[in-house]
Amino acid sequence: MKQMKKNGQGKAFPYNIFLIGFMGSGKSTISKYMKKTYGMEVAEMDQLIEQRENLSISEIFRIHGEEYFRSLETNLLVEIQKRTNTVVSCGGGVPMRACNVREMKKNGRVVLLTASPETILERVKNSHDRPLLEDHKDVDYISELMEKRREKYEEAADVKIETDQKDMQTICEEIIKKLQELDQV
Ligand code: S3P
């Protein structure tokens, strides 16, 4: 960790960082920022799945069903093990499968990003690429689904970062500080 560099040279982290959290918790945005600032590689799971299937996430859900999509996620996680120095932006449902959590922990640290249902709604309200929220863009529905997932999210997490009302730099610095603290234990 001490050798972390901002210029893309060298290894920022001796493991992969898996960003987990509810839809709209900021995983994609933060992973892009980590790439820019710390020269890490990025694996954006939803985007990789879309490219490989040549379908959008919504189309995959509609044509093949959710279970098919969940298996694509699990297979991709296994493949990602071959990478290093990568920040992985996981789909929001990834921690719901125990096998996915085991896979992430093999060569990675798991960082949970959280935000209030109100913040989540604000961030997702204008997008149409999340089939699970498409007809449910309201605080009650988001709160309920978040509550159903909370335990699994928290069990999977090595560190937890609240993102409400924080800018990207603050969030990234918190991630790095908490990971460093973890490494020193
Ligand atoms: C999902 C989250 C989405 C995407 C899919 C299912 C979920 O990713 O994988 O729509 O179950 O929470 P984001 O968390 O990146 O929006």
Side-chain angles (χ1 to χ4, degrees), residues 14-18 80-81 83-88 107-109:
Y15 44 73
N16 294 328
I17 297 174
F18 291 88
I80 284 174
Q81 289 308 323
R83 299 196 184 202
T84 54
N85 196 36
T86 298
V87 54
V88 185
N107 178 30
R109 298 278 199 216

Side-chain angles (χ1 to χ4, degrees), residues 17-36:
I17 297 174
F18 291 88
L19 300 181
I20 63 163
F22 202 80
M23 294 166 266
S25 57
K27 296 161 291 184
S28 303
T29 314
I30 294 298
S31 61
K32 284 190 198 115
Y33 193 83
M34 299 278 282
K35 177 180 167 127
K36 198 174 99 199

